[in-house]
Amino acid sequence: MSNLSSQSKRTEPLQDDGVDKEHLLHSFVEAKEKVNAKFRDLKKYLEDCEKFLAEFRKADENERDIKKFSSKVSGYLAQVSRISEVLSRDQIKMAFFGRTSNGKSTTINAMLQDKILPTGLGHTTNCFLSVHGSDLPDPYILVPGSDDKRNVKSLDELADALSKEKLDPSSLVQVVWPKSRFKILSGDVVLVDSPGTDVSPDYDGWIDKHCLDADVFVLVANAESALTVTEKKFFHKVNQHLSKPNIFIVHNRWDASASEPDKMELVKNQHLSRSISFLVDELKCVDKGKAEDRVFFVSAKETLMTRMQKHQGMPQGGLWLIKMCILLKQHELLTSKIFILNQVTSIALPGCFSGGAIHDEGFFARQLEFENFEHKLEECISKSAIKTKFESHAVSGLKIAKKLKILMEQRVGSTSQQRSTQEKAKKEQENRLKFVKEQLEISTREIKCLIKEITSKVEGQVTEAMTEEIGRVGLLVNEFNHPFHPHPAFLRTYKKELCDHLARGLGWNMTACLNVQTEVILKAQKDIADRFRSLLPPETLGVSLEPSTPALDFHANLGVDVRRLCADFQEDIKFRFSLSLQAILRKLLRPGPAIALEANTWKTVGGRFTALCGGLYGGVYVFERVRWTYGGEEESFKRQFADYASGKLQSEVSVMSAKCSGQVRQELTSTFAKLEFPVLRKMENLGKNIVELDQEITKLEKIEKKSIALRNDASRLESELSQFITEFGLEKSKI
């Protein structure tokens, strides 16, 4: 039976060009690019939200709500910023552990297809080594506590256990290697080599420092012996710190089994069974059905030499010769076994296999097993890394997007409701302003007509009252009872007293008239107040709508100043015969009907009574002269004063009536102005309120429009993050 087919049921035809790493872990790179883009969008969205909220935090009634909303957005932004920072640094980390000299560094070198990490006999790796990809063309290394880029050739001196420059076993030396040389590093992969689990018992320190962010652990075991207690103890510690870590077991140096081909399958099954039991039963980190895909049997040194030869330009014929020798040996056509194969390979691969040999038994199977290890590692780590690196962050981003969408929907609803309320208030204010304006115009016209009507009526009443009073002047003068004497000094006193008497008589009647006018004014004020009562409520007007006593003192302002009017009165109390020629001529020259009457009377008397009149004339003269005493003089004085005062008062009628009506107009106009002012002020306030409401509505429309846009953006981000989670098979149950 062919050993080639019996060594592994996972073999495939060997490809001459080795393992193509160009698309290795492509899913992780793609997922990282996408999730970073999503979080950049989410961060930009949150920044837009913050800017949007900062612009509209001026409305007092919304201040508390917007502050609360802004606080939430700021919290989300801080969370997303932290996640974005972590995502930008996230890499796939493969940590290799095992006992000293089990081939950890060689396994990493085989994967990198070059001898990068120091290898050799015994304990070679003195500290932790990490291999990072770089876009720079030249490799370099970084040692702890320094930013100096050292030459990569100094790595042997730094990391080799035999080196004089000793580093702490837990320290980490970074190897920065050009991505262009090895495609696996282009997938944001970091490979970590360890000094050996048997070097230091400080497992907890190692795990805390280098393992908590590892995506996969590779236990490199020696196929020539069973798993040791030390190796198991370390991974038990790992299992305690991490929940179900991804652990692969690589049984290296499986080429040694070629020396005992009869026992090869039995040994392999024993290792496989124990490894599966360790993963499933002890660590419980993988299901039994998947455990077999976590255990591999390889020769890292053979794989490294084969891949190095390819990169060093090995002729195709040389590789063909090796394959032919192996096939011939398998078909028992070549009997010199390993010796002949070594001779051939020493010719075909000069310098590559010095110090080592390629065993024909299972060579191709081991090569395919190593490739299978890489592919299974790639498959596991791609899914695992995406899950461990991105799942929680993607779910957090999705939750934030959902919450932001809800918050923005609330913002849209709240703003829409506020805008509707403000529009309703604006419409009410506009209708109120229109009503008040129209009613004020109507009331103004009606009140002006009312004032005109009242003042005209008052003017007529005052004219009528004064005319009546003038007719009573003679009676009031005759009622004056005071000692009379024609002496000038006595007459001055008599005249003053008479004026005061006349003023009192006239004032009493005028007061009664003016009391009526006061009632007219009060009624008019009440009418005006009632009209304004329909425009605005009393508390809005700011003045009392109840009628009150007029502010003007009509009695004082409209009192008759008889002394002033009669100051120029000059009495004539000398005796004058009523039938003297001068008196007769004065009567004849008097204008109007009275002159005609006197003329007719004279004609009637005529000549027939001339004689009789002559006699009588003398008698009358004697009679009048006898009667011309102080009493006659007083009667003449009063008659003259009454005539003079009546004439003066008559000339004052129009002035007094106009003055009275003017005062009424002034009082009513003042009342109208006092009541109109708060209405005008209210109209002005209504206008300002309408402008403010319009500005508020415009602002709310902008807020609503922006909120809708932000809500749609949040919905888009939610959809994109959900699509990302679905695309990369992440846990929807955590959403």
Side-chain angles (χ1 to χ4, degrees), residues 110-309:
M111 294 177 66
L112 296 175
Q113 305 181 48
D114 201 350
K115 188 177 180 182
I116 298 174
L117 304 184
T119 59
L121 296 175
H123 177 201
T124 53
T125 305
N126 186 46
C127 61
F128 280 85
L129 299 174
S130 63
V131 183
H132 302 256
S134 170
D135 294 325
L136 298 176
D138 298 320
Y140 60 89
I141 62 174
L142 296 172
V143 298
S146 175
D147 294 330
D148 295 337
K149 298 179 180 179
R150 297 194 183 189
N151 192 302
V152 74
K153 293 181 180 179
S154 64
L155 185 61
D156 285 339
E157 298 179 2
L158 288 171
D160 198 314
L162 302 177
S163 173
K164 295 181 180 180
E165 186 175 354
K166 299 292 184 180
L167 294 175
D168 185 271
S170 66
S171 60
L172 177 68
V173 175
Q174 297 184 38
V175 181
V176 183
W177 203 261
K179 293 179 181 178
S180 58
R181 296 192 187 182
F182 303 106
K183 296 299 182 181
I184 188 173
L185 298 178
S186 299
D188 284 334
V189 175
V190 176
L191 304 178
V192 179
D193 190 11
S194 65
T197 57
D198 52 343
V199 172
S200 171
D202 188 15
Y203 301 146
D204 291 323
W206 284 13
I207 295 169
D208 290 339
K209 197 169 184 178
H210 302 295
C211 302
L212 290 181
D213 60 342
D215 299 285
V216 68
F217 297 86
V218 179
L219 169 57
V220 180
N222 189 343
E224 296 179 87
S225 62
L227 292 177
T228 66
V229 174
T230 302
E231 291 169 321
K232 288 186 176 184
K233 185 176 180 180
F234 174 79
F235 279 96
H236 274 292
K237 286 284 187 179
V238 170
N239 200 42
Q240 291 174 6
H241 284 74
L242 302 176
S243 176
K244 289 189 176 182
N246 294 307
I247 300 176
F248 285 75
I249 299 177
V250 174
H251 292 278
N252 191 28
R253 298 180 180 173
W254 187 237
D255 54 328
S257 65
S259 61
E260 298 183 47
D262 297 335
K263 297 183 179 180
M264 182 185 300
E265 198 67 25
L266 294 175
V267 173
K268 177 183 176 184
N269 290 334
Q270 184 184 61
H271 283 324
L272 181 62
S273 176
R274 291 177 177 177
S275 297
I276 291 175
S277 178
F278 175 60
L279 294 174
V280 176
D281 300 328
E282 294 186 41
L283 298 181
K284 296 181 173 57
C285 63
V286 67
D287 296 335
K288 189 172 183 179
K290 298 179 180 178
E292 188 174 350
D293 289 336
R294 298 291 182 92
V295 183
F296 301 90
F297 298 85
V298 302
S299 173
K301 189 172 184 179
E302 283 183 349
T303 303
L304 173 61
M305 289 188 294
T306 303
R307 292 179 175 179
M308 286 180 63
Q309 187 62 37

Side-chain angles (χ1 to χ4, degrees), residues 34 133 535:
K34 287 186 176 182
L535 297 180

Side-chain angles (χ1 to χ4, degrees), residues 4 7 224 253-261 264 299 301-302 305 322 325-326 329-330 337-339 341-342 345 353 355-367:
L4 179 63
Q7 287 216 2
E224 296 179 87
R253 298 180 180 173
W254 187 237
D255 54 328
S257 65
S259 61
E260 298 183 47
M264 182 185 300
S299 173
K301 189 172 184 179
E302 283 183 349
M305 289 188 294
I322 293 175
C325 289
I326 293 174
K329 171 64 179 66
Q330 290 173 348
K337 297 185 179 180
I338 298 175
F339 174 76
L341 182 60
N342 288 343
T345 54
F353 292 173
I358 290 182
H359 299 280
D360 60 327
E361 294 292 342
F363 173 76
F364 290 130
R366 291 189 294 275
Q367 295 295 300

Side-chain angles (χ1 to χ4, degrees), residues 53 57 62-72:
L53 292 172
R57 288 185 60 181
N62 302 327
E63 186 70 19
R64 182 179 300 176
D65 181 44
I66 293 179
K67 276 186 176 180
K68 183 178 179 182
F69 184 61
S70 180
S71 177
K72 288 184 178 180

Side-chain angles (χ1 to χ4, degrees), residues 6 28 43 95 174 233 239-240 244 288 375 414 466 567 576 720:
S6 65
F28 176 82
K43 184 178 180 181
Q174 297 184 38
K233 185 176 180 180
N239 200 42
Q240 291 174 6
K244 289 189 176 182
K288 189 172 183 179
H375 285 295
S414 174
M466 288 193 68
R576 285 183 174 80
E720 290 177 355

Side-chain angles (χ1 to χ4, degrees), residues 476-693:
L476 290 172
V477 171
N478 288 332
E479 289 177 352
F480 181 68
N481 185 16
H482 195 278
F484 179 82
H485 194 280
H487 190 275
F490 190 87
L491 281 178
R492 283 195 295 274
T493 302
Y494 185 87
K495 189 186 299 183
K496 290 179 182 179
E497 294 292 337
L498 180 57
C499 287
D500 292 342
H501 171 73
L502 183 59
R504 283 192 297 272
L506 293 175
W508 185 86
N509 291 293
M510 289 300 295
T511 299
C513 176
L514 293 177
N515 286 338
V516 174
Q517 305 314 314
T518 299
E519 293 178 1
V520 171
I521 292 172
L522 291 176
K523 184 178 182 304
Q525 288 178 329
K526 186 176 183 304
D527 291 342
I528 294 173
D530 288 341
R531 293 176 185 274
F532 280 100
R533 199 188 303 274
S534 64
L535 297 180
L536 295 173
E539 60 273 13
T540 306
L541 288 172
V543 295
S544 175
L545 296 179
E546 298 301 324
S548 59
T549 303
L552 297 173
D553 186 352
F554 286 95
H555 186 272
N557 292 326
L558 296 181
V560 180
D561 190 358
V562 179
R563 283 191 183 187
R564 179 184 61 78
L565 291 175
C566 298
D568 296 334
F569 171 69
Q570 296 294 327
E571 71 281 355
D572 183 7
I573 57 175
K574 293 180 180 181
F575 174 75
R576 285 183 174 80
F577 182 44
S578 60
L579 296 179
S580 65
L581 181 60
Q582 184 178 2
I584 292 172
L585 289 175
R586 190 165 51 248
K587 290 180 180 181
L588 289 174
L589 294 176
R590 182 179 298 171
I595 297 176
L597 179 60
E598 293 292 337
N600 291 334
T601 303
W602 182 258
K603 288 180 182 180
T604 303
V605 175
R608 292 180 298 172
F609 297 98
T610 302
L612 181 60
C613 287
L616 293 174
Y617 183 82
V620 171
Y621 176 81
V622 173
F623 176 77
E624 288 183 0
R625 188 70 184 83
V626 172
R627 290 185 69 249
W628 191 255
T629 62
Y630 288 164
E633 290 178 346
E634 182 180 10
E635 183 180 350
S636 177
F637 181 90
K638 287 182 177 181
R639 185 175 59 254
Q640 292 176 31
F641 184 84
D643 291 342
Y644 185 85
S646 296
K648 284 293 185 179
L649 287 172
Q650 189 65 49
S651 65
E652 289 289 314
V653 170
S654 60
V655 176
M656 297 293 285
S657 61
K659 183 178 181 181
C660 185
S661 63
Q663 290 175 337
V664 171
R665 182 184 299 105
Q666 180 182 350
E667 180 70 16
L668 295 179
T669 302
S670 175
T671 300
F672 172 75
K674 285 193 294 184
L675 295 174
E676 182 189 37
F677 175 74
V679 176
L680 294 175
R681 185 175 58 189
K682 185 61 179 179
M683 290 174 58
E684 182 181 357
N685 291 337
L686 285 171
K688 289 180 180 179
N689 290 342
I690 291 171
V691 172
E692 291 175 359
L693 286 170

